[in-house]
Amino acid sequence: MNALIAGVHEFPDRKTARSALEIQALSARAALADAGLTPRDVDGYFTVAGSGGTGPLPIVDYLNLTPRYVDGTSVGGASFVVHAHHAAAAISQGRCRVALITYGSTARSAGVPVGTRERIAGDYLDQFEGIYGTSTVGLYGLVAQRHMHEYGTTGAQLAQIAVACRRHAGLNPAALYRDPITVEDVLRSPMISSPLHLLDCCVITDGGGAVVLVHPDMARDLPKPGVRILGASEAVAHTAAGRRDYLVSAAAQTAPRAFGEAGISHGDLDLAMVYDSFTITVLVTLEDLGFCKKGEGGRFVEGGRIELGGDLPINTDGGGLSSNHPGMRGIFLIIEAVRQLRGECGERQIENCRLALVHGTGGALGSRHSGATLVLGRA
Amino acid sequence: MTADYKKPLPEITAESRPFWDGCRRHEFLVQRCGDCGAFQHYPRGVCARCWGRTLEWRRSAGRGRIYTFTVTHRTQARGFKDETPYALAWVELEEGVQVLGNVVGCDPARIAIDMPVRVTFEDVTPEVSLPRFEPA
């Protein structure tokens, strides 16, 4: 991969009267300024398909841009991590030089019950899955239940993940929820879809952000040190004709490829930004990324290992569990990793953060989902 | 029969019509590939293993075990809000394929992984019967 991340911006508000397009415009403006670039420099555009299904068209129109490379890949919350992979590949091949990734959503203001509404996509599969009161929380609950059965994982172990993210959110002034919580708080919060309680589930916010990637030959002109994309990989895991092991996620496919491309091992990493739609998402992903063996995730997340000061701090912004989740979260994984690698994280800064892993998960672990991994390094 | 079924109904297509016609007769059909012999669910126009086109419909005994389940206590899913708690499970049929569906006919608190179940059908409209699973 021959590309640098040159600019990032996370829209600061968790509730806003602005539209999804305006959130993207303001984020794009700030991320380009962060990269020392102007709208005229943008020649590649990446975002998810909105309700109209035309991907980047509305926002490219709104911003009055003329990209020569566009990509509207929509694979759920991991989409923006996939976009970074695609943008880096396009830049490496000379198909564009300045790629802009944006996201905006008003899920909170619109009152969208992201996790608890029926999961009906409008496609052929709905008639076999979506009509049975099947929610996103429920589909992740299916995986958590099986993990507990096979490996003895406990609700208290899952809760450790929520507790860690909340502790980190307390150090992030922009996070939605900042007051500390305990394992008991998680276990006493209302059951949504067993075994997942309310505090095992991500928040619902308004928000968005933007990421700017550039060709490395522009590095000298950047106001801040670029962040290198050292490895990238994506995958899909699905119902497999009715013969699926639902405890193995797409990360099992992406991790060997991304680690191999980057030429690093697990112990080299200073930070892991792991998609946390639900606590179980993190636990399964950490196993499949290879930080511990399958089934040992429950013990791995105990004892502060995943908190700041631990062996593998995760989600230092507070994650989707406590800071920001407007329906899709992948872009924030990249943004926080870049801020950490640049040393911009204030109270929650990891000392001398040099190497970070990003892993996005989109869709539902309990039916079909996308996974995308990036390895990011300080230039 | 419930005249005013408030939950989502399957949008049946030509491709899935034989499956839903089977449900109407209270038969659970799975596809078997005439080329490679693999069973599959959900039904589709090609064999998911070999992409062969010689698919046959076989009547399943409808017996299996719960692979995993979740009991939902809070939901915004249409029609389900007033029926909590309800159970959703991946059931592994004896044919070796997993089927997603609701588990009925027992207290959700009694449901466990590996519990033997069998298919049952609920005639929810004059045209549609839905497969459910109940303790075997």
Side-chain angles (χ1 to χ4, degrees):
Chain A
M1 285 289 146
N2 208 10
L4 294 176
I5 299 176
V8 295
H9 182 75
E10 179 179 4
F11 188 77
D13 302 335
R14 300 296 185 258
K15 190 162 168 57
T16 182
R18 300 186 194 283
S19 71
L21 287 172
E22 191 178 6
I23 291 169
Q24 290 179 83
L26 296 176
S27 298
R29 195 171 179 273
L32 281 171
D34 189 44
L37 297 169
T38 72
R40 275 185 198 193
D41 296 314
V42 176
D43 64 352
Y45 208 100
F46 299 72
T47 192
V48 289
S51 52
T54 52
L57 295 192
I59 185 65
V60 169
D61 184 302
Y62 185 109
L63 293 171
N64 195 26
L65 294 172
T66 52
R68 59 177 169 140
Y69 200 99
V70 291
D71 182 341
T73 302
S74 300
V75 289
S79 296
F80 312 95
V81 184
V82 169
H83 294 157
H85 178 200
H86 293 183
I91 289 169
S92 296
Q93 293 182 1
R95 300 285 164 169
C96 60
R97 288 178 56 77
V98 176
L100 182 56
I101 307 171
T102 63
Y103 172 55
S105 161
T106 56
R108 187 178 182 87
S109 294
V112 181
V114 177
T116 53
R117 62 182 165 178
E118 75 256 17
R119 199 169 172 91
I120 287 190
D123 60 33
Y124 177 76
L125 305 188
D126 292 338
Q127 61 190 308
F128 305 107
E129 297 176 6
I131 62 173
Y132 300 119
T134 311
S135 65
T136 303
V137 190
L139 287 169
Y140 283 79
L142 290 169
V143 174
Q145 194 82 256
R146 182 79 198 182
H147 205 283
M148 289 178 166
H149 172 80
E150 278 203 26
Y151 300 117
T153 307
T154 65
Q157 289 172 328
L158 289 174
Q160 291 280 356
I161 296 163
V163 169
C165 287
R166 182 60 65 87
R167 187 189 145 215
H168 297 165
L171 303 172
N172 177 6
L176 182 67
Y177 296 129
R178 302 187 62 205
D179 294 336
I181 53 170
T182 64
V183 166
E184 279 304 304
D185 291 334
V186 178
L187 296 178
R188 272 194 296 239
S189 66
M191 188 68 86
I192 307 297
S193 285
S194 69
L196 299 178
H197 297 80
L198 178 66
L199 291 177
D200 286 298
C201 305
C202 63
V203 300
I204 300 172
T205 52
D206 296 339
V211 172
V212 179
L213 292 92
V214 302
H215 194 281
D217 68 14
M218 299 169 68
R220 278 186 313 166
D221 302 325
L222 301 176
K224 296 179 180 177
V227 166
R228 294 166 63 203
I229 297 185
L230 301 169
S233 182
E234 63 197 60
V236 176
H238 47 66
T239 59
R243 296 165 193 279
R244 170 74 190 286
D245 178 353
Y246 283 100
L247 297 185
V248 178
S249 74
Q253 299 174 59
T254 60
R257 297 195 290 252
F259 277 81
E261 184 180 13
I264 62 146
S265 48
H266 295 79
D268 300 332
L269 288 160
D270 301 302
L271 164 70
M273 292 298 300
V274 179
Y275 204 106
D276 58 346
S277 43
F278 303 95
T279 51
I280 185 65
T281 320
V282 175
L283 191 122
V284 168
T285 305
L286 287 170
E287 291 174 348
D288 291 331
L289 287 171
F291 289 104
C292 60
K293 286 188 187 143
K294 180 52 69 183
E296 293 181 356
R299 283 185 295 283
F300 184 84
V301 301
E302 288 179 325
R305 185 183 273 118
I306 59 171
E307 295 185 23
L308 280 163
D311 291 346
L312 183 74
I314 69 161
N315 304 356
T316 48
D317 60 340
L321 289 167
S322 283
S323 177
N324 200 4
H325 198 303
M328 300 185 190
R329 172 168 169 77
I331 201 162
F332 307 125
L333 306 175
I334 302 170
I335 292 170
E336 176 71 358
V338 168
R339 290 188 299 222
Q340 283 285 357
L341 292 165
R342 288 171 166 179
E344 297 175 345
C345 284
E347 276 193 274
R348 66 181 193 277
Q349 180 63 47
I350 294 167
E351 195 182 339
N352 194 24
C353 185
R354 289 169 301 179
L355 202 58
L357 179 132
V358 163
H359 185 86
T361 302
L365 280 191
S367 57
R368 70 195 67 78
H369 70 276
S370 59
T373 305
L374 301 176
V375 179
L376 303 179
R378 214 157 65 182
Chain B
M1 190 173 298
T2 318
D4 53 347
Y5 186 72
K6 296 285 198 301
K7 299 166 186 163
L9 285 165
E11 291 196 14
I12 300 168
T13 62
E15 190 178 359
S16 62
R17 172 67 62 190
F19 174 80
W20 290 109
D21 284 351
C23 289
R24 197 74 200 88
R25 300 190 303 271
H26 292 197
E27 297 177 359
F28 193 92
L29 303 184
V30 293
Q31 286 180 313
R32 184 177 175 277
C33 177
D35 294 337
C36 78
F39 284 99
Q40 68 182 10
H41 181 81
Y42 53 91
R44 65 199 85 179
V46 295
C47 168
R49 187 161 103 183
C50 74
W51 288 17
R53 290 274 288 146
T54 56
L55 292 158
E56 305 151 5
W57 294 92
R58 294 285 184 93
R59 182 176 179 179
S60 164
R63 287 191 298 265
R65 287 176 181 274
I66 290 187
Y67 169 84
T68 190
F69 71 98
T70 183
V71 178
T72 293
H73 297 262
R74 290 196 181 188
T75 187
Q76 299 296 323
R78 269 177 296 152
F80 285 86
K81 200 174 175 176
D82 301 326
E83 293 188 10
T84 55
Y86 63 91
L88 176 75
W90 276 116
V91 170
E92 194 162 292
L93 295 180
E94 287 174 353
E95 288 82 1
V97 295
Q98 295 154 334
V99 178
L100 192 68
N102 295 121
V103 182
V104 299
C106 72
D107 177 358
R110 278 191 47 226
I111 296 171
I113 288 173
D114 289 337
M115 189 172 95
V117 291
R118 66 179 170 223
V119 74
T120 177
F121 293 88
E122 186 183 346
D123 303 324
V124 298
T125 74
E127 294 80 29
V128 175
S129 301
L130 295 178
R132 313 276 193 215
F133 294 93
E134 61 183 13

